[in-house]
Amino acid sequence: MAQLERDYVLHRYDGLAPEAARELLLDVGSRIRGVVISGGVAFGQRELERMPSLEIVASAAAGYEEIDSDFVRARGIRFTTGSLTACEDVADMGMLLLMAARRQLLAGDRWVRSGEWERQGMMPLARSNAGKKLGIVGMGVIGRRIVPRALVFGQEVAYFARSPQPAVTARFEPDLLALSSWADALIVIVSGGPSTRNLIDAQVIGALGPDGVLVNISRGSVVDEEALIAALSTGGLAAAGLDVFASEPAPDPRLLALANVTLMPHHASGTVESRDAMDQQVVDNLAAHFAGKPLLSAII
Protein backbone atom coordinates (compact mmCIF):
# COMPACT_ATOMS: atom_id res chain seq x y z
CA MET A 1 0.00 0.00 0.00
CA ALA A 2 2.89 2.37 0.72
CA GLN A 3 4.25 1.83 -2.79
CA LEU A 4 0.82 2.32 -4.37
CA GLU A 5 0.20 5.49 -2.38
CA ARG A 6 3.59 6.81 -3.47
CA ASP A 7 3.08 6.16 -7.18
CA TYR A 8 -0.66 6.57 -7.80
CA VAL A 9 -3.76 8.48 -6.79
CA LEU A 10 -5.68 5.86 -4.79
CA HIS A 11 -9.42 5.59 -4.36
CA ARG A 12 -10.27 3.03 -1.68
CA TYR A 13 -13.26 0.95 -2.79
CA ASP A 14 -12.58 -1.82 -0.29
CA GLY A 15 -14.40 -1.66 3.01
CA LEU A 16 -17.13 0.67 1.76
CA ALA A 17 -20.81 -0.05 2.25
CA PRO A 18 -22.59 -0.88 -1.04
CA GLU A 19 -24.19 2.55 -1.41
CA ALA A 20 -20.91 4.36 -0.69
CA ALA A 21 -19.11 2.08 -3.15
CA ARG A 22 -21.61 2.91 -5.87
CA GLU A 23 -21.22 6.62 -5.17
CA LEU A 24 -17.44 6.34 -5.36
CA LEU A 25 -17.62 4.72 -8.80
CA LEU A 26 -20.06 7.35 -10.02
CA ASP A 27 -17.69 10.05 -8.79
CA VAL A 28 -14.28 8.77 -9.95
CA GLY A 29 -15.01 5.77 -12.19
CA SER A 30 -14.35 7.65 -15.43
CA ARG A 31 -10.80 8.51 -14.24
CA ILE A 32 -9.76 5.05 -13.07
CA ARG A 33 -6.98 3.51 -15.19
CA GLY A 34 -6.00 0.60 -12.92
CA VAL A 35 -7.71 -1.62 -10.36
CA VAL A 36 -6.07 -3.66 -7.60
CA ILE A 37 -8.14 -6.58 -6.37
CA SER A 38 -7.70 -9.52 -4.03
CA GLY A 39 -9.29 -12.95 -3.81
CA GLY A 40 -12.91 -13.45 -2.81
CA VAL A 41 -14.12 -10.14 -4.28
CA ALA A 42 -16.63 -10.15 -7.14
CA PHE A 43 -15.64 -7.74 -9.90
CA GLY A 44 -18.09 -7.91 -12.73
CA GLN A 45 -19.57 -6.12 -15.68
CA ARG A 46 -21.47 -3.61 -13.54
CA GLU A 47 -18.27 -2.26 -11.99
CA LEU A 48 -16.29 -2.41 -15.24
CA GLU A 49 -18.88 -0.45 -17.17
CA ARG A 50 -18.40 2.48 -14.82
CA MET A 51 -14.68 2.63 -15.64
CA PRO A 52 -14.42 3.51 -19.35
CA SER A 53 -10.72 4.45 -19.03
CA LEU A 54 -9.69 1.24 -17.27
CA GLU A 55 -6.50 -0.31 -18.71
CA ILE A 56 -5.47 -3.00 -16.21
CA VAL A 57 -6.83 -5.15 -13.38
CA ALA A 58 -4.07 -6.51 -11.12
CA SER A 59 -5.13 -9.28 -8.75
CA ALA A 60 -3.04 -10.54 -5.85
CA ALA A 61 -4.84 -13.90 -5.90
CA ALA A 62 -4.09 -16.85 -8.15
CA GLY A 63 -7.73 -17.72 -8.87
CA TYR A 64 -9.89 -15.43 -10.94
CA GLU A 65 -13.27 -17.11 -11.28
CA GLU A 66 -14.97 -14.21 -9.46
CA ILE A 67 -13.79 -11.68 -12.05
CA ASP A 68 -15.71 -11.23 -15.30
CA SER A 69 -12.73 -12.19 -17.46
CA ASP A 70 -14.82 -12.44 -20.65
CA PHE A 71 -15.90 -8.84 -20.30
CA VAL A 72 -12.34 -7.79 -19.45
CA ARG A 73 -11.07 -9.52 -22.58
CA ALA A 74 -13.75 -7.96 -24.76
CA ARG A 75 -12.85 -4.51 -23.50
CA GLY A 76 -9.14 -5.03 -24.17
CA ILE A 77 -8.27 -4.58 -20.50
CA ARG A 78 -5.08 -6.27 -19.27
CA PHE A 79 -5.47 -8.70 -16.38
CA THR A 80 -2.77 -10.12 -14.11
CA THR A 81 -2.83 -12.52 -11.16
CA GLY A 82 -0.52 -13.74 -8.41
CA SER A 83 -0.36 -17.22 -9.92
CA LEU A 84 3.43 -17.50 -9.95
CA THR A 85 4.18 -16.33 -6.42
CA ALA A 86 2.59 -18.81 -4.01
CA CYS A 87 2.99 -22.12 -5.84
CA GLU A 88 5.64 -23.56 -3.51
CA ASP A 89 3.62 -22.91 -0.35
CA VAL A 90 0.39 -24.18 -1.91
CA ALA A 91 2.15 -27.35 -3.05
CA ASP A 92 3.50 -27.78 0.48
CA MET A 93 -0.04 -27.43 1.85
CA GLY A 94 -1.29 -30.14 -0.49
CA MET A 95 1.28 -32.57 0.80
CA LEU A 96 0.78 -31.42 4.40
CA LEU A 97 -2.95 -32.10 4.25
CA LEU A 98 -2.36 -35.48 2.61
CA MET A 99 0.11 -36.50 5.31
CA ALA A 100 -2.01 -35.14 8.15
CA ALA A 101 -5.18 -36.86 6.91
CA ARG A 102 -3.58 -40.22 6.24
CA ARG A 103 -1.38 -40.33 9.36
CA GLN A 104 -4.21 -38.97 11.55
CA LEU A 105 -2.20 -36.03 12.86
CA LEU A 106 -5.16 -34.32 14.53
CA ALA A 107 -6.39 -37.57 16.09
CA GLY A 108 -2.91 -38.11 17.50
CA ASP A 109 -2.83 -34.61 18.91
CA ARG A 110 -6.19 -35.20 20.61
CA TRP A 111 -5.01 -38.61 21.87
CA VAL A 112 -2.14 -36.96 23.72
CA ARG A 113 -4.02 -33.88 24.99
CA SER A 114 -7.03 -35.85 26.24
CA GLY A 115 -4.94 -38.29 28.26
CA GLU A 116 -6.03 -41.26 26.13
CA TRP A 117 -2.37 -42.18 25.59
CA GLU A 118 -1.90 -42.59 29.34
CA ARG A 119 -5.23 -44.32 29.89
CA GLN A 120 -5.39 -46.60 26.84
CA GLY A 121 -1.86 -46.78 25.48
CA MET A 122 -1.05 -46.43 21.79
CA MET A 123 -3.72 -45.03 19.49
CA PRO A 124 -5.03 -47.15 16.55
CA LEU A 125 -2.65 -47.60 13.64
CA ALA A 126 -2.75 -45.22 10.69
CA ARG A 127 -1.74 -45.81 7.06
CA SER A 128 1.66 -45.17 5.48
CA ASN A 129 2.23 -42.59 2.76
CA ALA A 130 5.19 -44.37 1.20
CA GLY A 131 4.41 -46.67 -1.70
CA LYS A 132 0.97 -45.21 -2.32
CA LYS A 133 -0.48 -44.02 -5.64
CA LEU A 134 -1.20 -40.31 -5.85
CA GLY A 135 -3.48 -38.80 -8.47
CA ILE A 136 -3.17 -35.07 -9.12
CA VAL A 137 -6.22 -33.39 -10.66
CA GLY A 138 -4.84 -30.40 -12.55
CA MET A 139 -1.31 -29.87 -13.80
CA GLY A 140 -0.63 -26.14 -13.73
CA VAL A 141 2.27 -24.49 -11.94
CA ILE A 142 1.19 -25.86 -8.54
CA GLY A 143 0.53 -29.39 -9.79
CA ARG A 144 4.01 -29.42 -11.29
CA ARG A 145 5.44 -28.52 -7.88
CA ILE A 146 3.53 -31.33 -6.14
CA VAL A 147 4.98 -34.07 -8.37
CA PRO A 148 8.58 -33.95 -7.06
CA ARG A 149 7.35 -33.65 -3.47
CA ALA A 150 5.27 -36.80 -3.85
CA LEU A 151 8.15 -38.66 -5.49
CA VAL A 152 10.42 -37.78 -2.55
CA PHE A 153 7.90 -39.52 -0.28
CA GLY A 154 8.10 -42.65 -2.42
CA GLN A 155 4.73 -42.29 -4.11
CA GLU A 156 3.75 -43.23 -7.65
CA VAL A 157 2.16 -40.26 -9.40
CA ALA A 158 -0.30 -39.86 -12.26
CA TYR A 159 -2.36 -36.84 -13.23
CA PHE A 160 -5.51 -35.70 -14.99
CA ALA A 161 -5.52 -32.46 -16.99
CA ARG A 162 -6.94 -30.97 -20.17
CA SER A 163 -3.85 -32.14 -22.06
CA PRO A 164 -0.58 -33.98 -21.33
CA GLN A 165 2.35 -31.93 -20.08
CA PRO A 166 5.55 -33.24 -21.73
CA ALA A 167 7.86 -31.79 -19.07
CA VAL A 168 6.06 -33.53 -16.18
CA THR A 169 7.70 -36.69 -14.84
CA ALA A 170 4.40 -38.46 -14.14
CA ARG A 171 1.90 -40.47 -16.15
CA PHE A 172 -0.92 -38.58 -17.88
CA GLU A 173 -4.38 -40.09 -17.37
CA PRO A 174 -7.07 -38.53 -19.61
CA ASP A 175 -9.93 -40.24 -17.74
CA LEU A 176 -10.67 -38.78 -14.29
CA LEU A 177 -12.65 -41.84 -13.18
CA ALA A 178 -9.82 -44.12 -14.21
CA LEU A 179 -7.36 -41.96 -12.26
CA SER A 180 -9.57 -42.06 -9.18
CA SER A 181 -9.97 -45.84 -9.40
CA TRP A 182 -6.19 -46.27 -9.67
CA ALA A 183 -5.19 -43.79 -6.96
CA ASP A 184 -4.99 -44.19 -3.21
CA ALA A 185 -5.35 -40.42 -2.86
CA LEU A 186 -6.29 -37.42 -4.99
CA ILE A 187 -4.94 -33.90 -4.63
CA VAL A 188 -7.23 -31.47 -6.46
CA ILE A 189 -5.63 -28.28 -7.80
CA VAL A 190 -7.67 -26.91 -10.71
CA SER A 191 -9.18 -23.49 -11.35
CA GLY A 192 -12.65 -22.74 -10.03
CA GLY A 193 -15.60 -21.56 -12.06
CA PRO A 194 -18.49 -23.15 -13.99
CA SER A 195 -16.29 -25.49 -16.04
CA THR A 196 -14.99 -27.33 -12.95
CA ARG A 197 -18.03 -27.13 -10.66
CA ASN A 198 -18.54 -30.51 -8.94
CA LEU A 199 -15.77 -32.02 -11.07
CA ILE A 200 -15.09 -34.28 -8.08
CA ASP A 201 -18.56 -35.79 -7.83
CA ALA A 202 -20.05 -38.84 -6.14
CA GLN A 203 -18.80 -41.11 -8.91
CA VAL A 204 -15.20 -39.90 -8.62
CA ILE A 205 -15.30 -40.11 -4.81
CA GLY A 206 -16.81 -43.58 -5.01
CA ALA A 207 -14.05 -44.71 -7.36
CA LEU A 208 -11.44 -43.48 -4.88
CA GLY A 209 -13.00 -45.86 -2.38
CA PRO A 210 -13.14 -46.58 1.36
CA ASP A 211 -9.36 -46.45 1.84
CA GLY A 212 -8.96 -43.29 -0.24
CA VAL A 213 -7.98 -39.78 0.79
CA LEU A 214 -9.18 -36.62 -0.95
CA VAL A 215 -7.25 -33.34 -0.64
CA ASN A 216 -8.73 -30.12 -2.04
CA ILE A 217 -6.48 -27.05 -2.35
CA SER A 218 -8.27 -25.57 -5.37
CA ARG A 219 -11.76 -24.13 -4.82
CA GLY A 220 -14.69 -25.42 -2.79
CA SER A 221 -16.91 -25.43 -5.87
CA VAL A 222 -14.78 -28.14 -7.49
CA VAL A 223 -15.91 -30.83 -5.03
CA ASP A 224 -19.52 -31.97 -4.57
CA GLU A 225 -19.64 -31.41 -0.80
CA GLU A 226 -22.87 -33.37 -0.34
CA ALA A 227 -21.25 -36.41 -1.91
CA LEU A 228 -18.05 -35.86 0.08
CA ILE A 229 -19.87 -35.59 3.41
CA ALA A 230 -21.91 -38.70 2.63
CA ALA A 231 -18.80 -40.72 1.76
CA LEU A 232 -16.86 -39.56 4.83
CA SER A 233 -19.84 -40.26 7.09
CA THR A 234 -20.57 -43.77 5.85
CA GLY A 235 -17.09 -45.19 5.29
CA GLY A 236 -17.11 -44.61 1.54
CA LEU A 237 -13.94 -42.52 1.91
CA ALA A 238 -11.27 -42.85 4.58
CA ALA A 239 -10.31 -39.20 5.05
CA ALA A 240 -10.12 -35.75 3.54
CA GLY A 241 -7.85 -32.73 3.86
CA LEU A 242 -9.61 -29.49 2.92
CA ASP A 243 -8.27 -25.97 2.58
CA VAL A 244 -11.33 -24.71 0.69
CA PHE A 245 -15.08 -25.10 1.05
CA ALA A 246 -18.33 -24.44 -0.79
CA SER A 247 -19.26 -21.94 1.91
CA GLU A 248 -16.49 -19.72 3.27
CA PRO A 249 -15.73 -18.65 5.95
CA ALA A 250 -18.52 -20.79 7.47
CA PRO A 251 -18.17 -24.37 6.14
CA ASP A 252 -20.97 -26.89 6.38
CA PRO A 253 -21.30 -27.86 10.09
CA ARG A 254 -21.44 -31.53 9.10
CA LEU A 255 -17.84 -31.27 7.87
CA LEU A 256 -16.77 -29.69 11.13
CA ALA A 257 -18.26 -32.58 13.08
CA LEU A 258 -16.33 -35.29 11.22
CA ALA A 259 -13.20 -36.65 12.90
CA ASN A 260 -11.74 -37.92 9.61
CA VAL A 261 -11.41 -34.46 8.05
CA THR A 262 -8.38 -32.19 8.44
CA LEU A 263 -9.37 -28.55 7.94
CA MET A 264 -7.49 -25.36 7.05
CA PRO A 265 -9.07 -21.89 6.58
CA HIS A 266 -8.19 -21.32 2.88
CA HIS A 267 -4.64 -20.72 4.01
CA ALA A 268 -2.45 -22.60 1.52
CA SER A 269 -0.73 -19.38 0.47
CA GLY A 270 -0.90 -17.99 4.00
CA THR A 271 2.77 -17.39 4.68
CA VAL A 272 4.53 -14.07 5.11
CA GLU A 273 6.77 -14.92 2.17
CA SER A 274 3.98 -15.83 -0.27
CA ARG A 275 1.70 -12.94 0.64
CA ASP A 276 4.57 -10.45 0.36
CA ALA A 277 5.43 -11.86 -3.07
CA MET A 278 1.79 -11.79 -4.21
CA ASP A 279 1.39 -8.16 -3.20
CA GLN A 280 4.72 -7.14 -4.71
CA GLN A 281 3.75 -8.75 -7.99
CA VAL A 282 0.64 -6.55 -8.09
CA VAL A 283 2.82 -3.46 -7.67
CA ASP A 284 5.34 -4.68 -10.25
CA ASN A 285 2.65 -5.55 -12.81
CA LEU A 286 1.13 -2.08 -12.51
CA ALA A 287 4.53 -0.44 -12.85
CA ALA A 288 5.35 -2.56 -15.92
CA HIS A 289 2.03 -1.72 -17.58
CA PHE A 290 2.27 2.03 -17.12
CA ALA A 291 5.91 1.96 -18.26
CA GLY A 292 4.96 0.08 -21.42
CA LYS A 293 6.91 -3.04 -20.41
CA PRO A 294 5.87 -6.72 -20.51
CA LEU A 295 3.64 -7.87 -17.64
CA LEU A 296 4.95 -10.42 -15.16
CA SER A 297 1.88 -12.64 -14.92
CA ALA A 298 -0.65 -11.72 -17.58
CA ILE A 299 -3.81 -13.82 -17.95
CA ILE A 300 -5.21 -11.43 -20.55
Side-chain angles (χ1 to χ4, degrees):
M1 290 306 300
Q3 293 179 71
L4 293 175
E5 288 171 350
R6 180 196 65 202
D7 297 333
Y8 306 97
V9 177
L10 292 187
H11 299 279
R12 296 296 298 270
Y13 184 85
D14 56 309
L16 293 178
E19 184 58 35
R22 284 193 293 270
E23 289 179 1
L24 177 66
L25 284 184
L26 287 172
D27 183 32
V28 304
S30 63
R31 304 199 300 274
I32 298 298
R33 296 176 63 197
V35 164
V36 172
I37 193 167
S38 186
V41 178
F43 194 72
Q45 184 173 341
R46 183 177 60 182
E47 290 80 14
L48 289 164
E49 285 178 337
R50 294 178 179 176
M51 301 179 187
S53 302
L54 185 61
E55 302 171 21
I56 182 170
V57 176
S59 173
Y64 55 93
E65 65 274 10
E66 291 157 323
I67 296 173
D68 193 337
S69 55
D70 290 337
F71 191 84
V72 168
R73 184 179 288 105
R75 277 269 306 272
I77 298 167
R78 304 306 307 276
F79 178 44
T80 69
T81 71
S83 60
L84 303 178
T85 52
C87 52
E88 301 293 349
D89 281 331
V90 178
D92 280 349
M93 181 61 73
M95 293 304 297
L96 173 63
L97 285 170
L98 175 61
M99 298 289 183
R102 185 173 273 148
R103 291 298 303 269
Q104 301 178 25
L105 176 66
L106 298 184
D109 182 85
R110 290 191 296 270
W111 196 262
V112 177
R113 292 178 188 275
S114 66
E116 291 303 303
W117 189 13
E118 180 182 6
R119 290 192 294 270
Q120 297 192 43
M122 296 302 294
M123 66 180 279
L125 298 179
R127 293 280 186 174
S128 174
N129 278 289
K132 295 297 190 297
K133 300 172 182 176
L134 175 64
I136 301 174
V137 182
M139 195 47 67
V141 291
I142 297 169
R144 291 195 288 272
R145 299 304 197 282
I146 293 173
V147 172
R149 286 164 166 78
L151 294 176
V152 164
F153 282 99
Q155 298 182 338
E156 186 180 352
V157 183
Y159 68 94
F160 168 83
R162 285 190 293 263
S163 59
Q165 304 296 310
V168 175
T169 55
R171 178 176 63 85
F172 172 63
E173 173 52 72
D175 186 321
L176 179 55
L177 269 180
L179 179 71
S180 189
S181 297
W182 169 85
D184 298 301
L186 291 181
I187 294 181
V188 184
I189 182 61
V190 296
S191 299
S195 65
T196 59
R197 181 170 297 278
N198 289 344
L199 177 68
I200 309 302
D201 59 12
Q203 199 172 9
V204 173
I205 293 169
L208 191 54
D211 294 325
V213 178
L214 177 69
V215 172
N216 189 8
I217 51 172
S218 57
R219 289 291 186 268
S221 61
V222 175
V223 174
D224 182 341
E225 270 194 8
E226 287 293 331
L228 176 62
I229 291 168
L232 289 166
S233 303
T234 60
L237 188 69
L242 306 175
D243 185 50
V244 290
F245 308 87
S247 175
E248 298 181 8
D252 192 310
R254 293 174 295 171
L255 278 175
L256 309 186
L258 290 169
N260 55 345
V261 183
T262 302
L263 308 172
M264 284 294 288
H266 203 146
H267 212 53
S269 66
T271 67
V272 171
E273 293 84 357
S274 278
R275 294 298 171 85
D276 280 352
M278 292 163 77
D279 291 341
Q280 188 61 51
Q281 190 168 77
V282 166
V283 175
D284 293 345
N285 272 315
L286 288 172
H289 171 75
F290 290 116
K293 297 179 179 178
L295 301 176
L296 283 72
S297 55
I299 300 298
I300 298 171

